[in-house]
Amino acid sequence: MLAMVIDDYGGPEVFRLADVPTLPLGPQDVAIEIYATSVNPIDWKMRQGLLKAQRPLSFPAILGWDAAGRIAAVGSQVTRFKPGDPVFTRPAIDRPGTYAQTVVVHESLVAPKPPVLTYLEAASVPLAGLTAWQALVDIAQVKPQQRVLIHGGAGGVGGYAIQLAKALGAEVITTARTERHPYVRSLGADQVIDYPQHPFETAMDPVDVVLDTIGGTVQDRSFQVLKPGGILVSIVRPPDAGMAARYQVRGEWFFLEPDGEKLAKLGAYFTDGRIRPIVQQIFPLEDLPAAHRLSESGQTQGKIGIVVDPSQAETR
């Protein structure tokens, strides 16, 4: 199969197109013919070596942890899928990734593709959407009428988190630059704070939940806006336990655990129209270096989609 591989850590120029073997199929694995994938910040952080202490790579490596396509083959003990099924997945991070024509995934990490989504749209969902789900549903347990602050609402995780929080019945506040206010409002944000112009901690009333996608001083300042008994959930770094105690709130950090059943539940929100896909930029697989440069620039909103099979990516 063809794949974009890297032979060492480095900049976007380390990608090369190569013909590589497909991972052998285990008894509970499925092989997915990939029609589309997407770019997430973890991809270029892994490529740069910023996470090699926690997640070292074996070279040559295939990055990418989103995929949508059809089942090409199944292992001897697979019961949930058959060849030809349209699916999407966030694969395990310790296997070859999805910047390729085929990926092998344990069946427990795969879900049926929402029929209303194209493969390109579906490929934008798994990592970012499941991150939002784990933060807001599993950890924060957001309830109707609660107030939720989502930092970085114009990003991939932020965009899906805004929509999910609204679908859960919450009032949503988000931070974004002025030029991105129309976009985040279109996703359902009730209040948007222009963080370069107005410190968010002085521009809003207290909230029940903060989703931190930024880290640093933004995370530390977020304690100030939480009601006593509230929760700060971060995908960047563990919140300071001392500050959490001081403000009488909880602080939680997590690294996404992929789950096919949860992905199927999330997919239902797309099928019934409560959440919509947020693909904003599209590149062919061979232009992956340019897609990574754009993601690293921070000058994006929504998700960056990658077309693997041009004849199938925008079909349903």
Side-chain angles (χ1 to χ4, degrees):
M1 68 172 180
L2 292 177
M4 292 294 282
V5 305
I6 63 172
D7 299 304
D8 201 352
Y9 298 110
E13 68 279 358
V14 298
F15 281 114
R16 64 180 176 89
L17 189 64
D19 193 353
V20 299
T22 304
L23 195 70
L25 203 65
Q28 292 182 289
D29 289 336
V30 299
I32 300 172
E33 181 182 1
I34 299 174
Y35 297 159
T37 180
S38 75
V39 174
N40 296 285
I42 189 175
D43 301 359
W44 51 261
K45 291 176 182 178
M46 296 271 292
R47 190 205 71 230
Q48 289 179 355
L50 299 178
L51 302 177
K52 62 183 176 181
Q54 305 96 324
R55 304 279 177 174
L57 295 174
S58 297
F59 299 107
I62 304 173
L63 305 178
W65 289 280
D66 278 323
R70 287 187 179 270
I71 300 290
V74 299
S76 60
Q77 296 177 19
V78 170
T79 59
R80 298 172 57 197
F81 302 100
K82 64 183 185 304
D85 285 347
V87 295
F88 67 150
T89 183
R90 193 292 209 175
I93 206 166
D94 58 354
R95 286 187 174 189
T98 60
Y99 292 162
Q101 292 177 320
T102 303
V103 66
V104 172
V105 187
H106 193 281
E107 69 168 331
S108 66
L109 306 184
V110 181
K113 181 187 74 68
V116 299
L117 299 183
T118 67
Y119 290 95
L120 185 61
E121 290 169 339
S124 76
V125 174
L127 190 150
L130 281 175
T131 299
W133 182 279
Q134 190 166 340
L136 299 180
V137 176
D138 295 345
I139 299 176
Q141 299 181 359
V142 170
K143 297 175 177 59
Q145 280 74 59
Q146 285 190 320
R147 287 169 51 81
V148 178
L149 170 62
I150 295 167
H151 285 300
V157 172
Y160 284 133
I162 289 172
Q163 296 184 79
L164 179 59
K166 289 297 293 183
L168 295 171
E171 179 183 352
V172 177
I173 304 95
T174 193
T175 56
R177 295 182 182 276
T178 301
E179 62 271 20
R180 296 176 181 171
H181 286 200
Y183 172 70
V184 295
R185 288 194 182 279
S186 76
L187 299 178
D190 298 292
Q191 180 183 355
V192 187
I193 299 170
D194 189 346
Y195 66 89
Q197 302 296 325
H198 306 287
F200 66 88
E201 63 269 35
T202 63
M204 56 181 289
D205 295 326
V207 298
D208 301 281
V209 177
V210 174
L211 173 55
D212 166 39
T213 67
I214 308 297
T217 59
V218 169
Q219 183 187 102
D220 296 336
R221 290 157 51 206
S222 294
F223 285 105
Q224 302 175 41
V225 303
L226 278 166
K227 300 175 183 178
I231 181 171
L232 188 159
V233 184
S234 178
I235 63 172
V236 184
R237 63 175 172 88
D240 184 271
M243 293 186 72
R246 174 185 169 191
Y247 286 97
Q248 300 180 316
V249 300
R250 288 169 55 205
E252 300 282 350
W253 169 86
F254 71 96
F255 192 88
L256 176 65
E257 293 294 334
D259 186 308
E261 290 187 5
K262 290 178 183 177
L263 186 57
K265 291 178 181 178
L266 179 62
Y269 281 69
F270 289 86
T271 300
D272 65 20
R274 285 178 288 174
I275 302 180
R276 63 178 174 86
I278 54 174
V279 180
Q280 297 288 298
Q281 301 88 17
I282 302 170
F283 293 82
L285 182 63
E286 57 268 27
D287 282 352
L288 193 59
H292 269 231
R293 290 188 186 97
L294 178 60
S295 181
E296 288 181 66
S297 75
Q299 303 302 307
T300 61
Q301 61 184 26
K303 290 297 300 291
I304 299 173
I306 303 296
V307 172
V308 178
D309 184 339
S311 70
Q312 297 290 337
E314 300 201 56
T315 69
R316 289 182 170 84

